[in-house]
Amino acid sequence: MEMVSSSPRTSTSSRRGRSFCLRSMLMVAFHVAASSAFSTPIFQETATLQRTAPSKTVGVEIELPDFDEMFRRIQAVSPLARLAVQGGGSGEGGGFGAVDDTILPEGQKWKNLQKSKGKLVSQIDRIDNFQNLGPPLLRWRASMKGPCHGMAFADFIMNTDKRQMWDPQIESVCELYPIFDLDAANIAMGFGKFGDCKKLGVGYTKTKAHPIGISPREQLTLCGIQEMHDGSALIWGTELEDWHDHLMPAGERHARARSHLFSIALVPTGEDSFDAEYSLQLDFGGNLPHWMTAPLVLDSVKSMFGVAQPFFETDGSEEVQKRIMEEKIQGEKFVDRNSILFTP
C-alpha cells in the first residue's frame, strides 16, 4: 500500500495518538458514569420490561440483565476489569502496572488490609457497608504464573471438585440452565462491547453447615465468562431476584446468601503470566453480623489463589495450553460469526 502524505514513523505516531485520545475519551466518559453506576436496576420485575433468552431446557427462559449497568458496576470497583474491557493493558508492563486506581466507586475510598509485593496475593482492600447494603466490598489482587485462561480459572469457582479444594464449606455448585444460544447473549451485550461471551447461565450454590454455627446457605446466580481479543478475561456473576425463585432446584430451601457483586478480571502480563483481581460483596443472610462473616470470606478467597497458582504454573499448565490451542483452532472456523459480533 502506497503512503502518500505520511512516512511510516509519522503514521505510527498518528495511530498511537488516536489510540491515546480514544482511551482518554473512554476514561473521561467512565469518570462521569461511575458516579451513577449503581442507580439503575439490573433486572426488571415487570414481565413486560424483561428481556429474556431461552435456556437449553425446553420451556425455561432466562431473564437477561441490563448488561451496560452490570458491567459499569464491575468496572467501577475493579480497575483491572476496566482495563480488560477497554483494552490496551496486556503484555509486559500491563496488568496492575497499567490500571488507574484514581477512580473510586461512588466516591468511596478503599481501606487497605494487606499490601506486599512479595506475596502471591499482593493486595487486599475493602469498603465497609458498600452501597449501604451491610457487608463490605472486598478486593484481592494477585500476580499469577502460567497461561491466562478465563474458562480454566472459572473452574475453581464453578466446578464442585475444584471449589472444594479451597472452600470446604461448599456442598455443590452447578449450572442449572445454560443459555441456548451464546450469540443471543453477545448481541444483547452490544456486539463485542464487553468482549465475547463464552459462557452464560443460571447457577446454583449450596453450602454445608459451618462449625461456628452458620446453617447451610444457597444462592441462585446468573454467571458468565467474557474473553477479550488480547487474551484478557472477565468472570462475572450477579444474584438473581426473588421473582426468579421458580428456577431453584427441587428440595428443601435454605437461608439465602446473596452476592451483590462478583467479578474476577484476568489480564495477561506476558507469555506465561497474568494478573488477577477478585471483587466480591457477599451477604450471608440470616442476620449474621458482617464483622463475623467477612474474615471467613477474606481468608477463603485468599486460599483459592494458593490452590490455583500451582495448577496454572505446573500441574495443569499443559492442560490449559492445550485448551487454548483447541479454542484457537475452533475459533478460526467461525470467522463469519466473529465478524458479525465484533463489527460496530
Side-chain angles (χ1 to χ4, degrees), residues 43 65 67 70-71 74 158 189 194 197 199-201 222-226 234-238 262-264:
F43 295 104
F67 286 113
M70 187 189 72
F71 286 118
I74 290 172
M158 302 176 181
M189 290 180 186
F194 305 107
C197 183
K199 193 175 184 68
L200 187 148
L222 182 70
C223 298
I225 303 173
Q226 312 295 123
L234 182 61
I235 304 161
W236 57 268
T238 183
F262 159 69
S263 73
I264 304 175

Side-chain angles (χ1 to χ4, degrees), residues 281-342:
Q281 186 180 24
L282 175 64
D283 192 336
F284 274 66
N287 298 316
L288 288 169
H290 302 303
W291 60 262
M292 181 177 74
T293 58
L296 300 176
V297 178
L298 192 151
D299 291 338
S300 183
V301 173
K302 189 176 179 180
S303 67
M304 183 272 293
F305 284 105
V307 171
Q309 176 58 85
F311 173 82
F312 281 92
E313 186 175 7
T314 55
D315 302 344
S317 179
E318 186 176 338
E319 173 190 331
V320 176
Q321 291 286 12
K322 183 179 178 181
R323 289 176 68 175
I324 292 173
M325 289 304 299
E326 289 175 348
E327 290 169 8
K328 183 178 180 181
I329 294 171
Q330 187 68 18
E332 290 172 352
K333 297 179 181 179
F334 292 93
V335 177
D336 291 338
R337 171 183 176 271
N338 289 336
S339 66
I340 293 172
L341 290 177
F342 292 108

Side-chain angles (χ1 to χ4, degrees), residues 184-206:
N186 277 295
I187 291 170
M189 290 180 186
F191 301 95
K193 186 177 181 180
F194 305 107
D196 188 8
C197 183
K198 293 294 187 179
K199 193 175 184 68
L200 187 148
V202 175
Y204 176 76
T205 304
K206 181 181 177 182

Side-chain angles (χ1 to χ4, degrees), residues 20-306:
F20 176 79
C21 289
L22 176 59
R23 190 170 178 184
S24 298
M25 290 168 64
L26 288 171
M27 293 304 297
V28 170
F30 187 83
H31 270 283
V32 174
S35 62
S36 59
F38 295 80
S39 60
T40 303
I42 290 180
F43 295 104
Q44 296 289 340
E45 186 171 6
T46 304
T48 55
L49 298 177
Q50 293 177 356
R51 179 171 53 176
T52 64
S55 72
K56 291 184 178 180
T57 300
V58 177
V60 176
E61 294 281 319
I62 300 173
E63 183 186 355
L64 300 179
D66 181 333
F67 286 113
D68 282 341
E69 175 66 14
M70 187 189 72
F71 286 118
R72 271 199 300 268
R73 294 185 184 192
I74 290 172
Q75 292 180 78
V77 304
S78 173
L80 197 67
R82 188 162 62 247
L83 188 70
V85 171
Q86 294 181 356
S90 62
E92 187 176 351
F96 294 132
V99 299
D100 182 358
D101 277 325
T102 64
I103 303 176
L104 300 176
E106 297 289 282
Q108 299 186 54
K109 292 184 178 180
W110 291 94
K111 177 183 179 182
N112 181 252
L113 303 180
Q114 173 189 307
K115 195 166 187 177
S116 175
K117 290 185 178 180
K119 294 183 178 181
L120 172 61
V121 179
S122 59
Q123 187 171 328
I124 303 176
D125 304 297
R126 69 183 285 166
I127 298 177
D128 289 316
N129 191 25
F130 185 64
Q131 292 291 301
N132 295 315
L133 293 173
L137 170 64
L138 298 169
R139 187 177 70 186
W140 299 256
R141 288 180 171 181
S143 294
M144 312 279 289
K145 294 180 181 178
C148 182
H149 191 265
M151 297 285 279
F153 201 98
D155 283 343
F156 287 92
I157 308 296
M158 302 176 181
N159 177 281
T160 299
D161 292 336
K162 286 189 176 179
R163 178 74 172 265
Q164 288 176 338
M165 292 171 65
W166 60 273
D167 190 354
Q169 295 309 123
I170 285 294
E171 181 170 313
S172 66
V173 181
C174 65
E175 185 179 25
L176 294 174
Y177 303 109
I179 194 170
F180 179 77
D181 183 6
L182 279 172
D183 281 354
N186 277 295
I187 291 170
M189 290 180 186
F191 301 95
K193 186 177 181 180
F194 305 107
D196 188 8
C197 183
K198 293 294 187 179
K199 193 175 184 68
L200 187 148
V202 175
Y204 176 76
T205 304
K206 181 181 177 182
T207 65
K208 305 172 186 176
H210 196 282
I212 67 172
I214 302 175
S215 61
R217 294 292 193 266
E218 62 182 356
Q219 287 187 258
L220 188 70
T221 55
L222 182 70
C223 298
I225 303 173
Q226 312 295 123
E227 289 188 359
M228 316 301 172
H229 285 305
D230 64 357
S232 299
L234 182 61
I235 304 161
W236 57 268
T238 183
E239 199 76 26
L240 290 173
E241 302 290 349
D242 291 341
W243 59 83
H244 301 121
D245 281 356
H246 63 281
L247 298 175
M248 284 280 192
E252 180 186 0
R253 297 274 65 87
H254 301 279
R256 182 80 175 268
R258 295 181 183 275
S259 295
H260 296 301
L261 189 149
F262 159 69
S263 73
I264 304 175
L266 310 174
V267 174
T269 54
E271 289 291 329
D272 208 37
S273 63
F274 62 96
D275 284 345
E277 186 168 66
Y278 193 130
S279 304
L280 177 66
Q281 186 180 24
L282 175 64
D283 192 336
F284 274 66
N287 298 316
L288 288 169
H290 302 303
W291 60 262
M292 181 177 74
T293 58
L296 300 176
V297 178
L298 192 151
D299 291 338
S300 183
V301 173
K302 189 176 179 180
S303 67
M304 183 272 293
F305 284 105

